[in-house]
Amino acid sequence: VQLQASGGGLVQAGGSLRLSCAASGRAFGSYVMGWFRQAPGKEREFVARITRHGDYTYYADSVKGRFTISIDNAKNTVYLQMNSLKAEDTAVYFCAAAWLTTAVVASQYDYWGQGTLVTVSS
């Protein structure tokens, strides 16, 4: 599975961005897809995950109610809609794929895309 994240950029606090993660390769249908982020000097943290068919989602408390993860199976693409952005959301965002349907830590994810930088100015 190859993952390609995009959509990062500079946005003012309170604004919105949508990240995309395009997946290719066989067995994509067997994976749970997740988003993580890593701020400078901090560990990579879980943001959200979605099952392959989009029927179950799970969010970190810090983004619940502001971020929405979704999946378009026809395009093999996972999205992260980020609303009401805060300065503390500034980080490099990564998409990842896991076999474990309850995966919430980075070590549980098997494949990673390159990161895309999100900068929120206050």
Side-chain angles (χ1 to χ4, degrees):
V1 177
Q2 292 79 45
L3 305 173
Q4 179 77 31
S6 62
L10 174 64
V11 63
Q12 288 188 335
S16 299
L17 276 177
R18 188 178 79 158
L19 305 182
S20 299
C21 175
S24 60
R26 62 184 180 91
F28 170 64
S30 302
Y31 284 89
V32 167
M33 302 300 297
W35 284 97
F36 283 74
R37 65 187 181 185
Q38 188 166 17
K42 294 188 177 181
E43 293 187 354
R44 194 167 297 190
E45 67 170 347
F46 172 81
V47 175
R49 73 164 185 255
I50 189 167
T51 52
R52 179 64 176 87
H53 298 291
D55 44 353
Y56 291 104
T57 59
Y58 183 75
Y59 298 90
D61 288 343
S62 59
V63 306
K64 200 173 297 182
R66 300 188 299 122
F67 291 10
T68 302
I69 189 171
S70 61
I71 190 166
D72 184 336
N73 290 315
K75 297 181 179 179
N76 279 359
T77 300
V78 178
Y79 303 98
L80 185 69
Q81 177 66 42
M82 305 185 295
N83 298 329
S84 301
L85 282 162
K86 306 174 182 180
E88 51 263 43
D89 294 318
T90 295
V92 177
Y93 284 71
F94 300 87
C95 61
W99 284 104
L100 181 64
T101 57
T102 57
V104 292
V105 297
S107 60
Q108 294 172 322
Y109 282 76
D110 305 285
Y111 296 92
W112 291 85
Q114 92 296 350
T116 185
L117 176 63
V118 172
T119 303
V120 183
S121 62
S122 56

